[in-house]
Structures are given as C-alpha cells and as structure tokens.
Amino acid sequence: MLMIVLDATIVNVALADIQQDLGFTSAGLAWVVNGYLISFGGLLMLAGRLGDLIGRRTMFLSGLVVFTVASVLCGLAINEVTLIAARFLQGIGGAMTSAVILGMIFAMFPDPREQAKAIGRYAFVASAGGAIGLLLGGLLTALDWRLIFLVNLPIGILVGFGALKILDKDQGAGLKGGADVPGAVLITSALMLGVYTIVKPAAEYGWTDPVTLGLGAASLVLLAGFVAREATAKTPLMPLMPLMPLKIFRSRNLSGANVIQVVTVAGMFGMFFMGSLYLKQVLGYEPMQLGLAFFPVAAIMGLLSVRYSEGLVMKYGPRKVLIPGLSLILAALLWLTQAPVDGNYWLHIFGPMVLFGTGAGLAFPALMNLAMSGVEPEEAGLASGLANTTMQVGGALGLAVLATLSASKSADLLKAGTPVNEALTSGFQLAFWIGAALVTAALLAAVFVLKSVPAVTHGSHDLDDELLLEAEVASARTAI
C-alpha cells in the first residue's frame, strides 16, 4: 500500500522534469497522472470482486507483479507513448492489489480490537505515504526522475517474498460466481475516451470541432451503455453480480457525498498538478524544494485523518465538519489565484498549503461517513468501493479539464507577445479559479443537498469503548 500511495504523490514532484526530458506538452503531461488514475479508479470494484472469486492472496500477488513490472517500464520509458502506456498498466496493478488489502486485513484479524489496531497502522502508512512521497520524490528527482519508478523494483520483490511467506492461501468463491466484466469495460472505456477527448482533440482543435464532438458523443454512449447494463444486470444475490446496482443511489447522502467528492477532488488535484508546475516553471524551484513546499498538506491531512477527525465527526456530525473543511479548501484556492510572477513561498504558498491540509483532513473523513450513512450492511463494501472510485475519477477528469484550459490560456497569451512567466502564471491562475468554482459548487451541495447525520452521544463506559472502537475503524477506512 505504501508503494501505491507513494506513486500517487511522488509523480507530482517529477512532472516538470518528465516534461522537459520527454517533450510533453502541458496538456499531454496530464496523462502521466491520468493514465494511472483512470485505469486504477475504473478497475477498483471489478478487482475487488475478482479477489472474492479467485482468492485475495492470488489477486494481491498478481497485482504486485503487474505493478512492479509496470514501474520498471515507466523508469525505462523513452517517449510520451511508452510512459503513458506503462502508467496505464501500473494503474491496473495498483487496483488489483489495493482492492483486496483491506479484505485481507479483516480476514487476518477477526477480533474487533486487533482488527482496529491493524487497520489503524495500515491507515497511518497510507496517510504518511503522501508526505514520504513528496520528500522522497524531491530527493530522487534531484538525482534522476526515472528513479521514482525504478525504486519500486526492489520494494516489490521484498513485498512479494514476504507475502508468499506470511499470507495464508485463501479459497475464493470460484469464477462461476461471476463478475460484471461488461459493466467494467463500459465504464472504463467511457472514462478513458472522455478524458482523451478533453486532453487531445479539445485542446488542439477546439471544443466545437467535429472530432471533439464525435469522440465526446461516443464517450456518452458508452456511459449510457454502462447505466443500461447496471439497470438490467442481476442483483448481487444472484450468481452474476452487477458492478454497481443502481438502487444504491437511493441514499441521498451517498449520492450527494460522491458528487461532492468528485467535484472537490477535481479542484484539489488541479492544485497539486498546477501548483507543482507553477513552483517549478515560474519560481524556479528545484525538485527537493518542490517536495518540501507541498509537505504541509500531506502532514496536516495525515495527522487530522488518523488522530482527530473521527472525534470531531462523532461529536458534531459529519455534515457540520464537512462544511468548514470545504470552506478552508475554497479559501486556499482563492488565495492561490493571487499568486504572482515573483511569488514568495511564505506569503503566497505556505498559507494555502496549511489551509488545504486542514480542509482536506476535515472534509474527506466527513465525506466518507456521509457516503456510508444509511447503506445496508450487504452494500457497505460496494459503497466503499464507489467512494474510492469517484475520488480517482474526479481527480482524473478535473485534472484533464484544468490542464487543458490552463495551457490554452497560456498559449493565447504567448501568441499575443506576453512574457513567458506572465503567460504561464495567468494560465495557472485560471486553473485555480476553476478549481475554486468547483469547490464552491461542492460547498453549496453540502449545504442544500446533504441531510444531517446525528452526532453520537456517549452514554456509558461500555458504550464509550464500543463507539471509540467504531470510530477508529471508520477513521482508518477514511484514511485508506
């Protein structure tokens, strides 16, 4: 899991170096992140289901091999195409492994208290991985950006041998149990084609070009096919399990929380992506400086997610914690819209980083609680997988839009004779404004769409212990 979390954050530090070495355009560079996110997010639920069928240990080891081999291919990439293809493969391996890790922990530690401890440690690794990735990314990128991928080879080998020795073989339900492969193919294809339409033809030919409109329509057709497939597939109690039974969306909080998460993550991913390019291209930061610049976000978010957020959610209710969290994220984005060409870290960057870390550390645990409220026990795993998927998809789609519009704005200004740094800064500011608009929409949805979930009042010592245990598990799942 640490490998996967590292990979999600470490790449942001190296983006500028990758662009310079392999000749990526600003819009095309988004695919270094999108290639991973789309395959990862699109296959999470299917991978989890296949783990139930063929055995979680088998799925975990298979995914580990795919992830490790893909990491080596990323490190050896010679051009845009080879790197993006390897990143797609890496996302597949990441989905195969991460989708079954939590299930393996539950099986290995059936005692509730031992289970809470195990998940808590796992969640700490998942949260701390973001901070480690930013620092390690800066160090390795300073040597050679390829090392951020090649470092996974020795780690993958050690994890593989450890898994073979420690993990017991488990017997899956068998492939006769079935999995909704057509549904997974439809939704993954729709997302991939949609993002490609935004990044390539829309950026190069315009939003009203026939190629753009045609590919966009094809993406919507695939999405409609997915909805039709899920509406007519057999229920989860039947041999053929649909990828996403549509009845789950009857929960107002589940639907609202997932929509809010898509929109919020879209704005935040733009901050990481555009912020790293701003620091590198405009302010001239070196890789290690870049990693340290983003460290407050990961450190504060990890601390809040693991230590404090569950207490606030239990005391005040998730909706009352979510709204201040989103407000802080919005304030951070608005602050970044004022970032100048000659920006100073302590005046223009550090404050937004602190606000981002605090806001995200409050908002995302609350969102997860809302997404899981009112869900039937037999749908809890599906709801958790859906929340993870919307996070990945929101980041990928939002990043594609922000990168494209930012690059177009900068290109137009350069053609008009604007100095390079001013043109780049204006493009990044536009992306931050769009991100702020997205988070504003999320905030309005939180205020007017979500229903309040009552805060928990502790009654007795035994109840206190039980609720604290449940809070630990909820917090751990949120961080994961």
Side-chain angles (χ1 to χ4, degrees), residues 244-263 367 370-373 375 383 386 390 445 449-450:
M244 190 191 310
L246 296 184
K247 67 176 184 177
I248 198 172
F249 291 106
R250 293 172 185 169
S251 169
R252 180 173 171 177
N253 277 353
L254 181 145
S255 300
N258 278 282
V259 170
I260 290 170
Q261 182 161 260
V262 168
V263 177
L367 269 176
L370 287 163
M372 300 298 290
S373 63
V375 176
L386 175 62
T390 55
V449 175
L450 296 178

Short mmCIF file of all heavy atoms in Angstrom, two decimals, residues 244-263 367 370-373 375 383 386 390 445 449-450:
data_model
loop_
_atom_site.label_atom_id
_atom_site.label_comp_id
_atom_site.label_asym_id
_atom_site.label_seq_id
_atom_site.Cartn_x
_atom_site.Cartn_y
_atom_site.Cartn_z
N MET A 244 -22.34 -2.24 -10.22
CA MET A 244 -22.90 -1.19 -9.36
C MET A 244 -24.43 -1.20 -9.43
O MET A 244 -25.01 -0.59 -10.32
CB MET A 244 -22.39 0.18 -9.82
CG MET A 244 -22.72 1.30 -8.84
SD MET A 244 -22.37 2.92 -9.55
CE MET A 244 -20.72 2.70 -10.15
N PRO A 245 -25.13 -1.92 -8.54
CA PRO A 245 -26.59 -1.89 -8.54
C PRO A 245 -27.08 -0.46 -8.34
O PRO A 245 -26.69 0.20 -7.38
CB PRO A 245 -26.95 -2.77 -7.34
CG PRO A 245 -25.73 -3.59 -7.07
CD PRO A 245 -24.57 -2.75 -7.47
N LEU A 246 -27.94 0.00 -9.22
CA LEU A 246 -28.33 1.41 -9.20
C LEU A 246 -29.20 1.76 -7.99
O LEU A 246 -29.34 2.94 -7.65
CB LEU A 246 -29.09 1.75 -10.48
CG LEU A 246 -28.27 1.62 -11.77
CD1 LEU A 246 -29.09 2.08 -12.97
CD2 LEU A 246 -26.98 2.42 -11.69
N LYS A 247 -29.75 0.75 -7.31
CA LYS A 247 -30.58 1.05 -6.13
C LYS A 247 -29.77 1.70 -5.01
O LYS A 247 -30.34 2.36 -4.14
CB LYS A 247 -31.23 -0.23 -5.60
CG LYS A 247 -30.24 -1.24 -5.01
CD LYS A 247 -30.97 -2.44 -4.43
CE LYS A 247 -29.99 -3.41 -3.75
NZ LYS A 247 -30.68 -4.54 -3.12
N ILE A 248 -28.47 1.54 -5.06
CA ILE A 248 -27.64 2.12 -4.01
C ILE A 248 -27.71 3.64 -4.01
O ILE A 248 -27.50 4.31 -3.00
CB ILE A 248 -26.17 1.64 -4.17
CG1 ILE A 248 -25.40 1.86 -2.86
CG2 ILE A 248 -25.48 2.34 -5.32
CD1 ILE A 248 -24.01 1.26 -2.85
N PHE A 249 -28.06 4.23 -5.17
CA PHE A 249 -28.11 5.69 -5.28
C PHE A 249 -29.40 6.28 -4.69
O PHE A 249 -29.60 7.48 -4.75
CB PHE A 249 -27.97 6.11 -6.74
CG PHE A 249 -26.59 5.86 -7.30
CD1 PHE A 249 -26.38 4.82 -8.18
CD2 PHE A 249 -25.51 6.64 -6.91
CE1 PHE A 249 -25.11 4.58 -8.68
CE2 PHE A 249 -24.25 6.42 -7.41
CZ PHE A 249 -24.04 5.37 -8.30
N ARG A 250 -30.26 5.42 -4.13
CA ARG A 250 -31.45 5.94 -3.47
C ARG A 250 -31.09 6.72 -2.21
O ARG A 250 -31.88 7.55 -1.75
CB ARG A 250 -32.40 4.79 -3.12
CG ARG A 250 -33.00 4.09 -4.34
CD ARG A 250 -33.77 2.85 -3.93
NE ARG A 250 -34.26 2.11 -5.09
CZ ARG A 250 -34.79 0.89 -5.03
NH1 ARG A 250 -34.92 0.29 -3.85
NH2 ARG A 250 -35.19 0.28 -6.13
N SER A 251 -29.95 6.42 -1.65
CA SER A 251 -29.50 7.15 -0.46
C SER A 251 -29.07 8.55 -0.87
O SER A 251 -28.14 8.74 -1.65
CB SER A 251 -28.32 6.42 0.20
OG SER A 251 -27.73 7.24 1.19
N ARG A 252 -29.75 9.54 -0.32
CA ARG A 252 -29.46 10.94 -0.66
C ARG A 252 -28.05 11.34 -0.24
O ARG A 252 -27.33 12.02 -0.98
CB ARG A 252 -30.50 11.83 0.02
CG ARG A 252 -30.32 13.32 -0.24
CD ARG A 252 -31.50 14.07 0.34
NE ARG A 252 -31.32 15.51 0.32
CZ ARG A 252 -32.23 16.38 0.72
NH1 ARG A 252 -33.39 15.92 1.19
NH2 ARG A 252 -32.00 17.67 0.67
N ASN A 253 -27.65 10.90 0.93
CA ASN A 253 -26.32 11.25 1.40
C ASN A 253 -25.22 10.55 0.61
O ASN A 253 -24.17 11.12 0.35
CB ASN A 253 -26.18 10.92 2.90
CG ASN A 253 -26.73 12.02 3.78
OD1 ASN A 253 -27.10 13.08 3.30
ND2 ASN A 253 -26.80 11.76 5.07
N LEU A 254 -25.46 9.28 0.26
CA LEU A 254 -24.46 8.56 -0.55
C LEU A 254 -24.27 9.24 -1.89
O LEU A 254 -23.13 9.51 -2.31
CB LEU A 254 -24.88 7.10 -0.73
CG LEU A 254 -23.92 6.22 -1.54
CD1 LEU A 254 -23.91 4.80 -1.00
CD2 LEU A 254 -24.30 6.19 -3.03
N SER A 255 -25.36 9.54 -2.58
CA SER A 255 -25.26 10.18 -3.90
C SER A 255 -24.63 11.56 -3.78
O SER A 255 -23.72 11.91 -4.54
CB SER A 255 -26.65 10.28 -4.53
OG SER A 255 -27.22 9.01 -4.71
N GLY A 256 -25.13 12.34 -2.80
CA GLY A 256 -24.60 13.69 -2.63
C GLY A 256 -23.14 13.70 -2.26
O GLY A 256 -22.35 14.50 -2.79
N ALA A 257 -22.73 12.81 -1.35
CA ALA A 257 -21.34 12.77 -0.90
C ALA A 257 -20.40 12.39 -2.04
O ALA A 257 -19.30 12.95 -2.17
CB ALA A 257 -21.19 11.78 0.26
N ASN A 258 -20.82 11.46 -2.90
CA ASN A 258 -19.97 11.07 -4.02
C ASN A 258 -19.85 12.17 -5.06
O ASN A 258 -18.78 12.38 -5.64
CB ASN A 258 -20.49 9.77 -4.64
CG ASN A 258 -20.04 8.54 -3.88
OD1 ASN A 258 -18.91 8.09 -4.01
ND2 ASN A 258 -20.94 8.00 -3.07
N VAL A 259 -20.94 12.89 -5.31
CA VAL A 259 -20.89 14.02 -6.25
C VAL A 259 -19.97 15.10 -5.69
O VAL A 259 -19.12 15.67 -6.40
CB VAL A 259 -22.29 14.58 -6.52
CG1 VAL A 259 -22.20 15.89 -7.28
CG2 VAL A 259 -23.13 13.56 -7.29
N ILE A 260 -20.12 15.40 -4.40
CA ILE A 260 -19.26 16.41 -3.77
C ILE A 260 -17.80 15.99 -3.84
O ILE A 260 -16.91 16.81 -4.09
CB ILE A 260 -19.70 16.62 -2.30
CG1 ILE A 260 -21.05 17.31 -2.25
CG2 ILE A 260 -18.66 17.43 -1.53
CD1 ILE A 260 -21.67 17.35 -0.88
N GLN A 261 -17.54 14.71 -3.65
CA GLN A 261 -16.16 14.22 -3.68
C GLN A 261 -15.56 14.36 -5.07
O GLN A 261 -14.41 14.78 -5.22
CB GLN A 261 -16.10 12.76 -3.23
CG GLN A 261 -14.69 12.21 -3.20
CD GLN A 261 -14.58 10.97 -2.35
OE1 GLN A 261 -14.16 11.01 -1.21
NE2 GLN A 261 -14.97 9.83 -2.91
N VAL A 262 -16.32 14.03 -6.11
CA VAL A 262 -15.84 14.18 -7.49
C VAL A 262 -15.42 15.62 -7.75
O VAL A 262 -14.33 15.90 -8.26
CB VAL A 262 -16.92 13.74 -8.50
CG1 VAL A 262 -16.54 14.17 -9.91
CG2 VAL A 262 -17.08 12.23 -8.47
N VAL A 263 -16.30 16.55 -7.40
CA VAL A 263 -16.07 17.96 -7.69
C VAL A 263 -14.90 18.51 -6.86
O VAL A 263 -14.04 19.23 -7.35
CB VAL A 263 -17.35 18.78 -7.43
CG1 VAL A 263 -17.10 20.25 -7.65
CG2 VAL A 263 -18.48 18.31 -8.35
N LEU A 367 -16.87 13.23 4.55
CA LEU A 367 -17.50 12.75 3.32
C LEU A 367 -17.68 11.24 3.33
O LEU A 367 -18.72 10.71 2.93
CB LEU A 367 -16.65 13.14 2.10
CG LEU A 367 -16.95 14.48 1.42
CD1 LEU A 367 -15.95 14.74 0.31
CD2 LEU A 367 -18.37 14.50 0.88
N LEU A 370 -20.57 10.28 5.51
CA LEU A 370 -21.84 10.57 4.85
C LEU A 370 -22.13 9.57 3.74
O LEU A 370 -23.28 9.16 3.54
CB LEU A 370 -21.81 11.99 4.29
CG LEU A 370 -21.93 13.11 5.33
CD1 LEU A 370 -21.47 14.44 4.74
CD2 LEU A 370 -23.36 13.22 5.84
N ALA A 371 -21.09 9.18 3.01
CA ALA A 371 -21.27 8.23 1.91
C ALA A 371 -21.69 6.86 2.42
O ALA A 371 -22.33 6.10 1.69
CB ALA A 371 -19.99 8.12 1.10
N MET A 372 -21.32 6.55 3.66
CA MET A 372 -21.65 5.23 4.20
C MET A 372 -22.91 5.25 5.07
O MET A 372 -23.41 4.19 5.46
CB MET A 372 -20.48 4.72 5.05
CG MET A 372 -19.16 4.56 4.31
SD MET A 372 -19.24 3.37 2.96
CE MET A 372 -19.40 1.83 3.87
N SER A 373 -23.44 6.43 5.37
CA SER A 373 -24.62 6.50 6.23
C SER A 373 -25.86 6.04 5.47
O SER A 373 -26.09 6.39 4.32
CB SER A 373 -24.83 7.95 6.72
OG SER A 373 -25.10 8.82 5.63
N VAL A 375 -26.50 3.06 4.41
CA VAL A 375 -26.24 1.97 3.47
C VAL A 375 -26.48 0.64 4.17
O VAL A 375 -26.08 0.45 5.33
CB VAL A 375 -24.78 2.04 2.95
CG1 VAL A 375 -24.48 0.86 2.06
CG2 VAL A 375 -24.57 3.34 2.21
N ALA A 383 -20.39 0.43 -1.44
CA ALA A 383 -20.38 1.87 -1.19
C ALA A 383 -18.97 2.38 -0.97
O ALA A 383 -18.58 3.45 -1.44
CB ALA A 383 -21.26 2.20 0.01
N LEU A 386 -17.26 2.44 -4.30
CA LEU A 386 -17.77 3.56 -5.10
C LEU A 386 -17.11 4.87 -4.68
O LEU A 386 -16.71 5.68 -5.53
CB LEU A 386 -19.29 3.66 -4.94
CG LEU A 386 -19.97 4.85 -5.62
CD1 LEU A 386 -19.77 4.78 -7.12
CD2 LEU A 386 -21.45 4.88 -5.26
N THR A 390 -14.95 7.25 -7.17
CA THR A 390 -15.29 8.63 -7.50
C THR A 390 -14.13 9.57 -7.19
O THR A 390 -13.94 10.57 -7.89
CB THR A 390 -16.55 9.10 -6.75
OG1 THR A 390 -16.35 8.92 -5.34
CG2 THR A 390 -17.78 8.33 -7.19
N ALA A 445 -23.64 22.19 -2.52
CA ALA A 445 -24.30 20.88 -2.43
C ALA A 445 -24.30 20.36 -1.01
O ALA A 445 -25.28 19.76 -0.54
CB ALA A 445 -23.59 19.90 -3.36
N VAL A 449 -28.02 19.92 -0.16
CA VAL A 449 -28.40 18.57 -0.60
C VAL A 449 -28.28 17.55 0.53
O VAL A 449 -29.19 16.74 0.74
CB VAL A 449 -27.54 18.12 -1.80
CG1 VAL A 449 -27.86 16.67 -2.17
CG2 VAL A 449 -27.78 19.04 -2.99
N LEU A 450 -27.19 17.60 1.26
CA LEU A 450 -26.95 16.58 2.27
C LEU A 450 -27.88 16.74 3.46
O LEU A 450 -28.25 17.85 3.85
CB LEU A 450 -25.50 16.65 2.76
CG LEU A 450 -24.41 16.34 1.72
CD1 LEU A 450 -23.04 16.50 2.34
CD2 LEU A 450 -24.59 14.93 1.16
#
